[in-house]
Amino acid sequence: MSKPQSPKRVAGAEQGSATPLNPDEIRRLCEFLYGRTGMIFGESKRYYIERRVADRMSATGMRTFRAYFSHVQASESEVEHLINIFTVNETYFYREEHQLHCLGRSLLPDIVRNRKPGDLVRIWSVPCSTGEEPYSIAIWLLENWPMVDAYHIEIVGSDIDTRVLVEAEAGIYGERALSRLPPGMIERYFDLPHEGQRRLIQDLRESVKFTSVNLVDRASVAAQGRFDIVFCRNVLIYFDDASRLLAANNLYDALNPGGYICLGHTESMNRISKQFSLRRFEDAIVYQRPGEGA
């Protein structure tokens, strides 16, 4: 592998500048990303693609797209870097709060109806980005679900982007991420501000487990085990029909019978897979894997 060079020495790949790609190069890269992630990119996102390729060419010292693409195909580490820079991470605490209301008032009571105190309940946030969504679940349960201490609640946050998982484990957030939380809640669950940021208290950081996962990879999803409730919001919109169906099948297998999945407000499982039952609750519309014998 070539020794990384200073960005200024790499022709056409200065940090922050776009590297022109021809249509065939765009096509080859997009097909590669699709095969690895299920995400759809194309000519319409040329500038977005070229900027990110330029950054990775600069970081690896590659002078041409041909050399860089050969390097990607030979290096799983570089595949990880490439996928990381192409993922979209937009989130904040208490996003789509109505689903948290539904979690406490409808989903969890149904899940634990036939369980004993101390039994395991598993909740999955995927993709979890920098951790705001799974940590929101933990905070919501502490604040609003009286039975939180009666069961063994396991919360798992997963993402294909390994960079955001590192940030999630650190649990450090700025003003925008915290803007939906009441001041008193921020004081209870976050350390004193430092340079405009706050860190989630250690007990809460330790309450969520973070893992890497690829939703279109059956083995990757299966490795996470089975869950009672899945929050999978605003990722299927980046897939095509084939990738959505593959991801939906993997998510179905990841749910315990009778388990629930919450999607983003623009997403509909009914348009993807007929395996799930649509459930209308007071606070939200969700989808359920039918129970045993259904």
Side-chain angles (χ1 to χ4, degrees), residues 88 116 118 147 237 273:
V88 178
K116 302 184 300 294
M147 301 299 291
I237 56 176
S273 170

Side-chain angles (χ1 to χ4, degrees), residues 44-264:
S44 63
K45 295 185 178 180
R46 167 177 286 275
Y47 184 69
Y48 178 90
I49 294 167
E50 290 179 336
R51 285 288 299 270
R52 280 148 183 79
V53 169
D55 286 346
R56 290 314 304 163
M57 287 176 63
S58 174
T60 57
M62 299 294 165
R63 294 180 176 272
T64 66
F65 174 80
R66 180 178 179 179
Y68 174 69
F69 194 59
S70 295
H71 172 57
V72 170
Q73 293 173 305
S75 169
E76 282 300 316
S77 175
E78 185 56 31
V79 171
E80 182 177 308
H81 287 301
L82 183 66
I83 290 173
N84 286 352
I85 64 172
F86 272 88
T87 54
V88 178
N89 299 294
E90 171 67 21
T91 188
Y92 43 83
F93 281 88
Y94 275 27
R95 187 180 190 183
E96 301 201 35
E97 187 177 341
H98 65 284
Q99 290 185 345
L100 295 175
H101 284 277
C102 187
L103 173 68
R105 286 202 278 238
S106 303
L107 306 188
L108 282 171
D110 183 55
I111 292 295
V112 303
R113 184 161 37 91
N114 296 317
R115 298 195 186 179
K116 302 184 300 294
D119 280 354
L120 176 66
V121 176
R122 300 190 78 217
I123 302 174
W124 195 21
S125 172
V126 56
C128 68
S129 188
T130 44
E132 289 92 331
E133 294 191 26
Y135 286 138
S136 289
I137 294 169
I139 292 174
W140 178 268
L141 295 180
L142 288 171
E143 290 284 311
N144 298 282
W145 196 46
M147 301 299 291
V148 65
D149 292 325
Y151 299 92
H152 177 196
I153 308 293
E154 182 179 46
I155 302 172
V156 179
S158 302
D159 206 288
I160 196 172
D161 186 339
T162 55
R163 296 172 310 169
V164 297
L165 293 175
V166 173
E167 294 182 42
E169 289 180 336
I172 299 173
Y173 301 101
E175 183 177 339
R176 185 183 181 282
L178 302 173
S179 61
R180 298 280 185 99
L181 295 180
M185 196 176 295
I186 294 174
E187 296 301 319
R188 283 194 295 279
Y189 296 114
F190 293 83
D191 292 334
L192 293 175
H194 176 68
E195 296 181 350
Q197 295 185 310
R198 284 178 175 264
R199 189 176 196 189
L200 197 69
I201 59 174
Q202 184 175 348
D203 282 352
L204 268 178
R205 296 200 309 274
E206 293 176 349
S207 72
V208 178
K209 175 185 176 182
F210 291 99
T211 65
S212 176
V213 75
N214 183 344
L215 283 176
V216 297
D217 183 334
R218 182 182 180 89
S220 176
V221 174
Q224 313 304 313
R226 289 277 190 92
F227 295 88
D228 297 296
I229 298 168
V230 174
F231 288 82
C232 182
R233 303 188 287 202
N234 306 309
V235 64
L236 299 180
I237 56 176
Y238 295 102
F239 295 173
D240 68 357
D241 289 344
S243 294
R244 287 190 193 102
L245 181 58
L246 180 57
N249 289 338
N250 290 338
L251 289 166
Y252 181 89
D253 290 340
L255 278 171
N256 286 319
Y260 295 96
I261 183 167
C262 302
L263 301 181

